[in-house]
Amino acid sequence: MEHYKTLQVFQKFPSSGVFHINLNRPSQRNALSRDFFPEFSIALQSLDQNPNASVIVLSGTGDHFCSGIDIKTLNSFANDTGDRGRSGERLRRDIKYLQEAITAIERCRKPVIAAIKGACIGGGIDIVTACDIRYCSKDAFFSVKEVDMGLTADLGTLQRLPGIVGFGNAMELALTGRRFSGQEAKELGLVSRVFGSKEELDEGVKIIAEGIAAKSPLAVTGTKAVLLRSRDSSVEQGLDYVATWNSSMLVSDDLMEAVSAHLQKRKPTFSKL
């Protein structure tokens, strides 16, 4: 397993197929340093290629999920000097580089589940809106904070949040930067469920993640890929894409095993991907 400065990557139960990525700067409330972005991409790519990994759970070490981008990281962008055109071009390249690290969640074939406790602010919203499923504890709170920092959010929140909570709600949250609770996040559709405590969140997400990991990996990765493609396409284009996908993936050992297990009233067993 790789060693990271800003992350912990581990598997609690070797037979489960569930791997964990923890944002690991608890003394800074898991603020995102410059090192986080390349490390996060590498960790996701590594688990994407790991046949033992079926589902990834993303959470934060300590009391908070993520307090946003580290102020030092922001200052490093603000202090660029020299020719304005070249400085602007470098900054655009830097922003695209950071964006790619967040989009790596969607590029990862394996489902990524966000388990959110405490603060989820700014860059934390960028991260969770790219995740496939989101859960939180009742102490969680959220804020699209960039407007209060004199910034336009640029790592994915303004692109992904409207599709999750609706355009009007996303506009209101992004323009006000107001703090909202886990319960409101549930009402908006940002999270699928609110758990009563951190312990209940951990146990609940464990059960859900292990349930997904026990399913056909071809079916799970295909469902994620088709849903993401359909989100950015018309219904007709999405239907055409899934027809093409299933024309190559449908007839598999997984289908035969699922049917046999159903008829024999037993749990199916699938090969690794």
Side-chain angles (χ1 to χ4, degrees):
M1 196 71 73
E2 298 263 359
H3 176 72
Y4 301 100
K5 293 180 184 176
T6 67
L7 303 171
Q8 288 178 326
V9 181
F10 59 95
Q11 188 179 26
K12 285 183 180 176
F13 305 102
S15 62
S16 71
V18 178
F19 278 73
H20 295 259
I21 300 178
N22 280 10
L23 310 186
N24 191 35
R25 298 181 75 216
S27 60
Q28 286 82 31
R29 296 181 180 178
N30 296 320
L32 307 176
S33 67
R34 188 78 188 211
D35 289 330
F36 162 79
F37 294 92
E39 289 191 347
F40 193 51
S41 288
I42 290 167
L44 286 165
Q45 288 167 12
S46 175
L47 292 179
D48 181 62
Q49 297 301 316
N50 184 343
N52 295 314
S54 300
V55 178
I56 300 164
V57 175
L58 179 62
S59 53
T61 303
D63 295 330
H64 299 281
F65 179 77
C66 177
S67 60
I69 294 188
D70 194 303
I71 294 297
K72 291 177 183 175
T73 305
L74 284 178
N75 284 340
S76 71
F77 295 128
N79 291 332
D80 196 1
T81 57
D83 175 75
R84 184 169 175 177
R86 284 169 175 77
S87 295
E89 196 278 334
R90 275 194 300 274
L91 181 55
R92 184 178 187 277
R93 233 181 316 136
D94 273 340
I95 293 168
K96 295 288 286 180
Y97 174 73
L98 303 186
Q99 288 173 346
E100 281 296 313
I102 307 301
T103 300
I105 296 170
E106 294 182 343
R107 295 196 207 279
C108 179
R109 293 171 302 148
K110 319 293 172 67
V112 180
I113 302 173
I116 305 155
K117 61 183 185 299
C120 181
I121 293 170
I125 304 270
D126 291 315
I127 290 170
V128 301
T129 53
C131 290
D132 303 302
I133 312 175
R134 293 162 291 277
Y135 301 103
C136 73
S137 56
K138 70 177 182 182
D139 74 334
F141 60 94
F142 302 80
S143 172
V144 184
K145 194 69 175 168
E146 284 84 350
V147 72
D148 288 336
M149 305 297 292
L151 299 169
T152 301
D154 57 8
L155 299 186
T157 291
L158 300 185
Q159 290 68 40
R160 296 185 176 101
L161 189 62
I164 297 168
V165 304
F167 183 86
N169 287 324
M171 183 72 83
E172 188 261 344
L173 294 172
L175 289 178
T176 63
R178 69 175 177 85
R179 175 168 158 166
F180 58 103
S181 67
Q183 186 54 47
E184 186 177 356
K186 170 69 173 73
E187 292 164 5
L188 289 166
L190 179 59
V191 299
S192 296
R193 184 174 169 188
V194 182
F195 290 88
S197 66
K198 177 189 179 297
E199 292 72 27
E200 289 175 38
L201 172 69
D202 290 344
E203 182 60 25
V205 170
K206 172 181 176 289
I207 292 167
I208 293 161
E210 288 179 352
I212 295 171
K215 299 181 189 300
S216 157
L218 279 175
V220 169
T221 57
T223 297
K224 173 172 177 171
V226 169
L227 269 171
L228 285 172
R229 175 61 69 96
S230 297
R231 179 194 65 183
D232 302 325
S233 309
S234 68
V235 172
E236 184 178 356
Q237 289 168 328
L239 288 169
D240 188 64
Y241 184 75
V242 73
T244 302
W245 184 282
N246 269 355
S247 67
S248 61
M249 303 288 186
L250 184 65
V251 182
S252 69
D253 291 344
D254 287 14
L255 177 62
M256 299 301 108
E257 170 62 11
V259 171
S260 296
H262 179 73
L263 293 173
Q264 296 167 17
K265 295 181 170 49
R266 61 174 175 82
K267 287 186 177 180
T269 304
F270 300 107
S271 301
K272 295 172 182 176
L273 201 58

